[in-house]
């Protein structure tokens, strides 16, 4: 493995262990590293995480630079950012990736400011490619792809002069590959080069608030769009979800209208999902929404417009009034059980 120029991932953890987005990014980093002919490494901070970090080798991480200290057990932005920046300076990765979580969004801009390098936020896809800027050709640049202008366009951003190139990536948009049982990452102990003044805050208590709905792990999602039109239609979607043992999702328009909170939103500006079954009710099928659910194993779309784009993506399309269709679906399912 190269000593420098690798793809590095900030490894985030909570009380339950390594968070899913870090595994997602390790797997994605492997694809980027293969294109560049380099290795995959992580940077982690905390206390008592060595065993969990070693298991990241199952997802393709070769080594993790780990700074361990009791004061780092709970995330605080200043010491985390300074320590990550010092590790990046020491090992000089070519690319650094962070999850677009509360923690990632707090630490990544501070690291970028410290290192005076570029940072693209909330990416939904990454790639390696060539580009030409002001007549200068750049090979093997990190292509950072994300929604822009309120999700109305998809922009590809490059920062070829940035060293390293850095990006935060939304949760759930990258796939976690099957782990290779028994593979381990080398965990390299890094010194804590901070004084007491670098810990300006102390965490006295933490409170965890669970999301209104867990779309990422849902096996069945019934999603409501603005074609639902009223409270009765939304309740029908909720009833269908409950009947099937699923959860209620929504398009951005429904969330923007205040009918459901953002935790329910599916799409590039919401949550990317891959359930076994996705039922789209009254959703026309914007590019941004379909990008967030197109990898569902089975898609059923119910829409009164036979030209709705969602019907072209769906495995099964039902053209009709959802106020008539959904009660029939509920009765049909109950009749089989």
């Amino acid at each position: 493995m190269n000593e420098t120029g690798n793809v590095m991932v900030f490894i985030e953890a909570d009380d339950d262990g390594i968070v899913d987005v870090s595994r997602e990014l390790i797997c994605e980093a492997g694809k980027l590293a293969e294109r560049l002919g380099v290795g995959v490494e992580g940077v982690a901070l905390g206390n008592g995480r060595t065993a969990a970090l070693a298991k990241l080798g199952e997802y393709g991480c070769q080594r993790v630079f780990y700074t361990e200290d009791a004061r780092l057990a709970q995330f605080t932005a200043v010491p985390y950012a300074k320590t990550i920046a010092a590790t990046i300076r020491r090992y000089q990765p070519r690319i650094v990736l962070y999850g677009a979580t509360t923690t990632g969004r707090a630490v990544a801009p501070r690291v970028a400011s410290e290192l005076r390098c570029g940072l693209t936020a909330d990416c939904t896809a990454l790639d390696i490619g060539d580009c030409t800027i002001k007549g200068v050709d750049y090979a093997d640049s990190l292509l950072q792809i994300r929604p822009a202008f309120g999700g109305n366009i998809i922009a590809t951003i490059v920062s070829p002069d940035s060293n390293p190139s850095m990006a935060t990536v939304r949760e759930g948009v990258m796939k976690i590959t099957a782990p290779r049982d028994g593979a381990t990452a080398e965990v390299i102990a890094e010194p804590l080069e901070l004084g007491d003044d670098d810990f300006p805050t102390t965490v006295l208590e933490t409170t965890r608030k669970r999301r209104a709905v867990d779309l990422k792990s849902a096996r069945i999602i019934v999603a409501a769009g603005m074609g639902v039109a009223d409270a009765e239609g939304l309740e029908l979607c909720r009833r269908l979800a409950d009947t099937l043992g699923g959860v209620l999702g929504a398009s951005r328009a429904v969330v923007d209208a205040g009918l459901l909170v953002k935790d329910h939103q599916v799409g590039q500006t919401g949550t990317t999902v891959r359930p076994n079954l996705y039922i789209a009710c009254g959703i026309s099928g914007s590019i941004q929404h379909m990008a967030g659910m197109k990898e569902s194993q089975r898609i059923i779309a119910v829409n009164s417009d036979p030209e709705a784009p969602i019907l072209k993506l769906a495995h099964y399309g039902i053209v009709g009034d959802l106020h008539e269709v959904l009660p029939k679906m509920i009765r049909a399912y109950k009749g089989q059980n």
Side-chain angles (χ1 to χ4, degrees), residues 214 239 307 310:
D214 185 5
R239 281 178 52 202
E307 301 301 320
I310 193 73

Side-chain angles (χ1 to χ4, degrees), residues 139-275:
D140 295 333
S141 295
L142 177 65
L143 308 183
Q144 301 150 96
I145 302 160
R146 55 151 298 163
F149 294 100
N152 292 312
I153 67 169
I154 303 299
T156 298
I157 299 170
V158 292
S159 49
D161 289 328
S162 177
N163 187 24
S165 294
M166 300 206 305
T168 65
V169 181
R170 293 186 184 177
E171 298 177 83
V173 300
M174 304 302 181
K175 286 184 179 180
I176 298 179
T177 57
R180 295 177 296 164
D181 292 339
T184 60
E186 179 187 7
V187 180
I188 300 171
E190 292 294 310
L192 180 65
E193 301 173 344
L194 301 178
D196 291 339
D197 290 344
D198 294 311
F199 291 85
T201 59
T202 301
V203 178
L204 301 179
E205 181 181 354
T206 59
T207 301
R208 299 179 67 183
K209 181 181 178 182
R210 297 197 176 276
R211 294 183 178 183
V213 61
D214 185 5
L215 291 173
K216 282 183 62 179
S217 61
R219 312 285 287 187
I220 299 174
I221 297 174
V222 178
M226 283 307 291
V228 169
D230 53 26
E232 180 186 354
L234 190 60
E235 181 58 28
L236 280 173
C237 293
R238 194 186 303 274
R239 281 178 52 202
L240 179 59
D242 291 343
T243 299
L244 299 176
V247 300
L248 181 64
S251 67
R252 176 178 174 175
V254 171
V255 173
D256 286 349
L259 300 176
L260 289 171
V261 298
K262 192 178 174 75
D263 289 353
H264 291 269
Q265 184 178 328
V266 175
Q268 280 195 323
T269 53
T271 301
T272 298
V273 299
R274 297 181 179 88

Side-chain angles (χ1 to χ4, degrees), residues 12-335:
E12 187 178 338
D14 58 21
D15 294 340
D16 296 327
I18 307 299
V19 301
D20 282 346
V21 70
S22 294
R23 294 186 184 87
E24 294 167 8
L25 292 181
I26 289 292
C27 295
E28 182 65 17
K31 298 176 185 177
L32 301 176
E34 185 177 3
R35 295 279 299 275
L36 295 170
V38 299
V40 177
E41 56 198 18
V43 54
L45 300 85
N47 194 43
R49 303 281 188 195
T50 302
L53 293 171
K55 287 183 69 64
L56 291 174
E58 296 181 351
Y59 301 94
C61 185
Q62 281 107 25
R63 63 186 182 187
V64 180
F65 305 112
Y66 179 40
T67 305
E68 185 170 30
D69 191 280
R71 293 172 294 178
L72 299 172
Q74 299 291 338
F75 171 75
T76 50
V78 173
Y80 265 58
K82 287 188 175 182
T83 303
I84 293 168
T87 303
I88 291 173
R89 284 196 183 101
R90 188 174 298 121
Y91 295 101
Q92 300 177 32
R94 181 170 182 168
I95 296 169
V96 183
L97 305 178
Y98 308 77
T101 61
T102 302
T103 299
R105 287 169 174 158
V107 74
R110 287 177 166 87
V111 175
S113 177
E114 177 75 15
L115 299 177
R116 296 184 179 274
C117 64
L119 171 67
T120 301
D122 290 344
C123 293
T124 55
L126 299 170
D127 203 352
I128 300 296
D130 302 334
C131 63
T132 301
I133 301 175
K134 295 182 178 180
V136 179
D137 295 329
Y138 297 91
D140 295 333
S141 295
L142 177 65
L143 308 183
Q144 301 150 96
I145 302 160
R146 55 151 298 163
F149 294 100
N152 292 312
I153 67 169
I154 303 299
T156 298
I157 299 170
V158 292
S159 49
D161 289 328
S162 177
N163 187 24
S165 294
M166 300 206 305
T168 65
V169 181
R170 293 186 184 177
E171 298 177 83
V173 300
M174 304 302 181
K175 286 184 179 180
I176 298 179
T177 57
R180 295 177 296 164
D181 292 339
T184 60
E186 179 187 7
V187 180
I188 300 171
E190 292 294 310
L192 180 65
E193 301 173 344
L194 301 178
D196 291 339
D197 290 344
D198 294 311
F199 291 85
T201 59
T202 301
V203 178
L204 301 179
E205 181 181 354
T206 59
T207 301
R208 299 179 67 183
K209 181 181 178 182
R210 297 197 176 276
R211 294 183 178 183
V213 61
D214 185 5
L215 291 173
K216 282 183 62 179
S217 61
R219 312 285 287 187
I220 299 174
I221 297 174
V222 178
M226 283 307 291
V228 169
D230 53 26
E232 180 186 354
L234 190 60
E235 181 58 28
L236 280 173
C237 293
R238 194 186 303 274
R239 281 178 52 202
L240 179 59
D242 291 343
T243 299
L244 299 176
V247 300
L248 181 64
S251 67
R252 176 178 174 175
V254 171
V255 173
D256 286 349
L259 300 176
L260 289 171
V261 298
K262 192 178 174 75
D263 289 353
H264 291 269
Q265 184 178 328
V266 175
Q268 280 195 323
T269 53
T271 301
T272 298
V273 299
R274 297 181 179 88
N276 292 344
L277 176 62
Y278 189 89
I279 304 177
C281 304
I283 295 175
S284 61
S286 69
I287 293 173
Q288 293 79 13
H289 183 84
M290 292 195 290
M293 45 68 70
K294 65 182 180 181
E295 294 191 30
S296 303
Q297 292 188 27
R298 285 291 180 270
I299 301 170
I300 298 174
V302 182
N303 205 291
S304 59
D305 179 8
E307 301 301 320
I310 193 73
L311 292 172
K312 297 178 182 178
L313 177 68
H315 298 95
Y316 304 98
I318 301 173
V319 178
D321 185 343
L322 62 88
H323 292 83
E324 298 177 1
V325 174
L326 297 195
K328 292 180 180 179
M329 293 177 71
I330 294 170
R331 288 196 298 270
Y333 183 81
K334 287 182 174 180

